[in-house]
DNA sequence: ATGACTCCCGAGGGGAGA
């Protein structure tokens, strides 16, 4: 089973890129973030014609997450991250696909830091840890995947010294991410490629993609019983070079199918 | 570096992204 995550940065503006990439790579499951479309403006028909059923949670202007599935039935479990009934951002959706729980998340950016947006990021990360702990207690394989907006280590950024004051790289979010992983999750790409420079995002400024001035901020975390099923993982880096493309590239893993 | 680049909203710039 090939599972991908892609911060699409506006699903309607990027629809040709999304469809081209789906046709080229045909993942079984796709987690999308930053739809930037209200619920009623999701391009469901085009996605269906590409061979995918979809569940999504839209929002006017910002955020928005979706899960696409090709060939496997999909059962939506929830579309909010538990722990704060006042949080209205569309940043989380979860489904069971092929006996595997897929949690698609778009973690808050948090800039500028310090400030209320940074506080929101940290509280969201604490809620995610609490929910992740609950998921680990369930008897089901889990993939926690999406745009975490966290650069985990110096290896994951082209010039660490330039990002010290940024909410993606400050000590608190890094510590919260490390605490989450420390519950027993496996960072799929880093585990399979411990010594490689891997980036999943290049900003639109200053020819960042041409200079490979990137960040690794889109992550797959696998529950312990899933880690043994991990076969390969990578970044569809070339997609970032297409016309009218997102500032993120798609990231993917391949898992062995469940045995039972 | 209050930069740059690109989206959405909506009809002109402003907010957000990372």
């Amino acid at each position: 089973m090939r599972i991908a995550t892609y911060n699409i940065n506006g699903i309607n503006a990027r629809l040709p890129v999304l469809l081209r990439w789906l046709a080229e790579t045909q993942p079984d499951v796709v987690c999308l973030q930053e739809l930037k479309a209200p619920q009623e403006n999701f391009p469901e028909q085009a996605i269906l014609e590409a061979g995918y059923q979809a569940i999504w949670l839209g929002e006017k202007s910002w955020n928005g997450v979706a899960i696409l599935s090709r060939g496997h039935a999909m059962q939506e479990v929830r579309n909010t991250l538990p722990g704060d009934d006042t949080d209205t951002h569309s940043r989380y959706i979860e489904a069971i696909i092929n006996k595997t729980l897929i949690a698609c998340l778009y973690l808050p950016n948090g800039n500028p830091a310090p400030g209320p947006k940074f506080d929101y990021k940290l509280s969201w990360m604490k809620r995610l840890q609490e929910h992740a702990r609950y998921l680990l207690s369930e008897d089901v394989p889990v993939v926690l995947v999406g745009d975490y907006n966290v650069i985990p280590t110096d290896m994951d950024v082209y010039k660490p010294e330039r990002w010290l004051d940024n909410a993606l790289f400050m000590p608190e979010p890094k510590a919260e991410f490390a605490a989450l992983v420390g519950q027993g999750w496996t960072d799929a790409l880093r585990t399979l490629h411990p010594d490689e420079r891997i980036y999943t995002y290049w900003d639109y400024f200053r020819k960042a993609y041409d200079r490979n001035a990137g960040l690794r901020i889109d992550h797959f975390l696998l529950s312990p019983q899933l880690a043994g099923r991990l076969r390969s993982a990578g970044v569809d880096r070339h997609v970032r070079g297409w016309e009218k493309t997102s500032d993120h590239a798609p990231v993917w893993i391949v898992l062995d199918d469940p045995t039972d």
Side-chain angles (χ1 to χ4, degrees), chain A residues 4 6 15-32 46-52 68-70 236 239 242 250:
Chain A
Y6 191 11
L15 191 58
V17 165
L18 175 62
L19 296 175
R20 178 181 170 189
W21 168 72
L22 286 175
E24 179 184 291
T25 64
Q26 303 199 340
D28 298 289
V29 176
V30 180
C31 295
L32 298 173
I47 299 290
L48 285 169
E49 287 168 7
Y52 290 84
L68 318 184
S69 175
R70 179 178 67 94
D236 289 332
V239 175
W242 291 354

Side-chain angles (χ1 to χ4, degrees), chain A residues 31-255:
Chain A
C31 295
L32 298 173
Q33 304 86 33
E34 277 209 86
L35 303 179
K36 291 188 174 178
Q39 189 70 12
E40 63 273 20
N41 286 3
F42 184 88
E44 184 180 23
Q45 193 56 41
I47 299 290
L48 285 169
E49 287 168 7
Y52 290 84
Q53 55 177 308
I55 58 172
W56 68 95
L57 184 66
E59 182 180 334
K60 188 179 177 182
S61 301
W62 298 307
N63 307 319
V65 286
I67 303 177
L68 318 184
S69 175
R70 179 178 67 94
H72 290 111
M74 175 160 50
Q75 180 66 52
E76 183 171 337
V77 179
R78 55 172 62 79
N79 62 16
T80 56
L81 181 65
D84 182 358
D85 294 339
T86 68
D87 184 359
T88 59
H89 291 199
S90 297
R91 294 184 177 276
Y92 190 90
I93 192 164
E94 190 179 289
I96 299 274
I97 304 171
N98 195 15
K99 301 176 185 171
T100 305
L101 191 145
I102 310 288
C104 171
L105 63 97
Y106 175 46
L107 209 146
N109 175 303
N111 282 304
K117 290 184 177 181
F118 190 62
D119 296 341
Y120 173 58
K121 178 177 196 164
L122 294 179
S123 72
W124 208 96
M125 295 187 82
K126 290 185 189 304
R127 283 164 61 199
L128 180 59
Q129 284 172 65
E130 188 159 345
H131 186 55
R133 201 173 291 115
Y134 160 75
L135 292 176
L136 286 179
S137 75
E138 299 275 281
D139 189 23
V140 58
V142 183
V143 184
L144 279 182
V145 53
D147 178 358
Y148 280 75
N149 270 315
V150 174
I151 302 164
T153 72
D154 285 6
M155 266 193 80
D156 302 309
V157 48
Y158 64 103
K159 275 190 180 173
E161 65 275 16
R162 292 206 178 169
W163 291 81
L164 296 173
D165 296 331
N166 192 287
L168 278 63
F169 196 54
M170 284 170 65
E172 298 95 327
K174 276 195 288 196
E176 298 294 348
F177 183 80
L180 171 63
V181 174
Q183 292 177 353
W185 301 88
T186 292
D187 177 341
L189 271 85
R190 187 49 79 210
T191 298
L192 286 187
H193 306 287
D195 302 316
E196 275 183 39
R197 286 275 163 184
I198 305 169
Y199 300 138
T200 67
Y201 165 91
W202 299 260
D203 82 28
Y204 289 122
F205 304 154
R206 297 174 300 247
K207 300 183 177 352
Y209 178 65
D210 296 337
R211 296 185 296 117
N212 198 26
L215 312 174
R216 189 174 77 97
I217 55 177
D218 301 273
H219 306 299
F220 283 88
L221 298 189
L222 310 183
S223 63
Q225 66 269 57
L226 253 188
R229 285 170 48 196
L230 177 62
R231 281 298 154 256
S232 54
V235 179
D236 289 332
R237 194 182 183 289
H238 65 288
V239 175
R240 178 62 181 78
W242 291 354
E243 292 295 317
K244 296 284 287 180
T245 199
S246 170
D247 40 8
H248 295 248
V251 187
W252 55 268
I253 62 172
V254 174
L255 299 175

